[in-house]
Amino acid sequence: MPTLTRLALAVLVLLAASTAHAASNGSETLLRGLWTEAQLAGTPADRVVTKPWAQPLDNSPPARLTPETTLPPVPADLREVIRRVNPAKGERLVALTFDLCERATNVAGYQNEIVNHLRAQHIPATFFAGGKWMRSHPEKAMQLMADPLFEVGNHAWTHANMAVADDAEARRQVLWTQAQYELLRAELARRAAAKGLSAEMAAVPPVPRLFRLPYGRNAERTLDLLAGLGLPIIQWDVLGEWNDGSGSPQKSAEYAVKRVRPGSIILLHANAVPKNTQLVVPILTRMLAAGGYHFVTVSELLRAGTPETVRSGYFAKPGDNVQYDTLFLGGGTQHPRPTDAKHP
């Protein structure tokens, strides 16, 4: 085969691989084939968050307790808490991550304005969804699963603190969430089949492939437990919702941008609990883009370089999250009752 022909063939192979990779988290055809623009845009009702204990405590499990898909164990270089990545080529890459937390004592929301902005600007992101949150918001969870811009990670069933949960509870929190994702993926596949779009399901991962620690907390044993379940632990090195008391979205964005480095992972929320995140995100993404940063999912970031890890997770400095070991009840799954005079 002539050298030029071989080169052209190699280029075609690389392009094909790149295209397949870009669609590895979903399918635009699937997304647009199952929901209208209005359905994807959502409404203010999506953002409703119920008050703690406004309804009965919900520790009920999903319809299936264990996932059908088993992931291979995490490789040695990904077995600690990953705070950021050092890009091998020095690229200005950054990963936006959004937690979708929900405890046993209330129902969180879905900040559709954030997702609408990301879609409008074609910005990839990683969403770490709690299993109970996915059960409470099945349509939104399936939309995120189907969208090729986004990947969905595991954020525990009811936001349990892995530093205080015993091994049995920690496993339940992880596996119930994997199983709930599978149940929704099965419904997504059913709808896709009804529309003649079954082939598009190949792009939707069978289960989440990443894990985020609730409160950023873990015990030493958590590292082995999650590694055995095949889930790298993804932390962050930049807080995207910093607040000096003024509630200024501009100041939050500026605080984050000053701390971003190539390979940074930024912590944000899309469950409508932080009040100004939907105002921070457009400012933050505009400033990062102006600084030459390229947005990627966490999985893309991991493939681009070497992870920077720690043994124990934290927010901005070691030990700044230990208060969550006693601030919430039930291993972190419950708010204290309104009648409680003080936290335990």
Side-chain angles (χ1 to χ4, degrees):
M1 182 183 293
T3 302
L4 184 58
T5 305
R6 287 192 184 123
L7 180 59
L9 181 59
V11 170
L12 287 173
V13 169
L14 285 172
L15 286 173
S18 175
T19 301
H21 171 69
S24 63
N25 290 312
S27 157
E28 190 74 15
T29 300
L30 182 64
L31 183 70
R32 305 296 171 177
L34 297 184
W35 291 280
T36 66
E37 289 291 336
Q39 288 170 331
L40 292 173
T43 71
D46 296 329
R47 305 192 289 269
V48 173
V49 178
T50 66
K51 292 182 179 180
W53 296 102
Q55 55 197 39
L57 179 70
D58 184 1
N59 276 317
S60 62
R64 185 166 68 236
L65 300 184
T66 57
E68 295 178 346
T69 300
T70 301
L71 296 172
V74 173
D77 61 332
L78 298 178
R79 283 178 170 248
E80 294 187 336
V81 179
I82 299 167
R83 288 189 60 81
R84 60 178 300 276
V85 171
N86 290 306
K89 299 178 182 178
E91 303 149 288
R92 294 176 76 78
L93 305 177
V94 64
L96 298 177
T97 66
F98 296 87
D99 289 359
L100 294 165
C101 325
E102 187 168 292
R103 297 190 184 93
T105 46
N106 76 319
V107 175
Y110 169 81
Q111 183 45 268
N112 63 310
E113 293 168 306
I114 291 173
V115 180
N116 292 343
H117 172 75
L118 298 175
R119 286 184 175 133
Q121 300 301 317
H122 306 287
I123 297 174
T126 301
F127 291 83
F128 288 96
K132 180 172 174 283
W133 184 94
M134 287 193 283
R135 186 175 65 184
S136 299
H137 304 80
E139 287 298 313
K140 300 310 177 184
M142 287 188 290
Q143 289 170 7
L144 294 176
M145 290 161 59
D147 197 319
L149 277 175
F150 307 140
E151 69 177 337
V152 177
N154 185 320
H155 195 36
W157 182 253
T158 45
H159 211 252
N161 184 337
M162 295 294 174
V164 298
D166 62 28
D167 286 356
E169 177 60 22
R171 288 182 65 86
R172 280 193 295 271
Q173 289 279 326
V174 176
L175 295 179
W176 285 9
T177 302
Q178 297 291 84
Q180 180 62 44
Y181 175 101
E182 282 187 338
L183 292 167
L184 291 178
R185 189 184 185 280
E187 171 60 17
L188 190 62
R190 186 193 67 76
R191 296 186 190 185
K195 293 280 190 176
L197 299 173
S198 290
E200 302 298 320
M201 287 300 300
V204 180
V207 288
R209 298 168 291 191
L210 303 169
F211 184 84
R212 168 153 286 167
L213 297 166
Y215 315 105
R217 289 287 287 142
N218 69 289
E220 278 288 320
R221 65 181 184 277
T222 312
L223 302 177
D224 290 335
L225 185 149
L226 287 165
L229 294 175
L231 293 166
I233 303 171
I234 307 302
Q235 195 83 343
W236 55 81
D237 67 317
V238 176
L239 301 175
E241 294 155 333
W242 174 81
N243 187 358
D244 65 349
S246 69
S248 167
Q250 181 71 33
K251 288 184 179 180
S252 290
E254 290 173 354
Y255 177 92
V257 169
K258 286 178 183 177
R259 288 157 177 77
V260 168
R261 295 178 284 164
S264 279
I265 300 171
I266 303 178
L267 171 66
L268 296 152
H269 291 75
N271 63 343
V273 173
K275 299 302 181 185
N276 288 329
T277 307
Q278 76 280 6
L279 303 177
V280 173
V281 171
I283 302 171
L284 177 60
T285 54
R286 184 168 60 249
M287 293 176 71
L288 289 171
Y293 280 96
H294 178 62
F295 301 103
V296 294
T297 63
V298 169
S299 290
E300 290 173 317
L301 189 62
L302 290 174
R303 289 191 285 269
T306 304
E308 183 179 291
T309 65
V310 294
R311 298 289 292 178
S312 183
Y314 53 88
F315 280 92
K317 59 183 180 180
D320 65 2
N321 55 353
V322 296
Q323 70 271 22
Y324 292 103
D325 291 0
T326 56
L327 186 60
F328 292 98
L329 306 175
T333 70
Q334 302 173 29
H335 302 79
R337 289 181 182 273
T339 54
D340 289 348
K342 60 181 179 179
H343 295 146

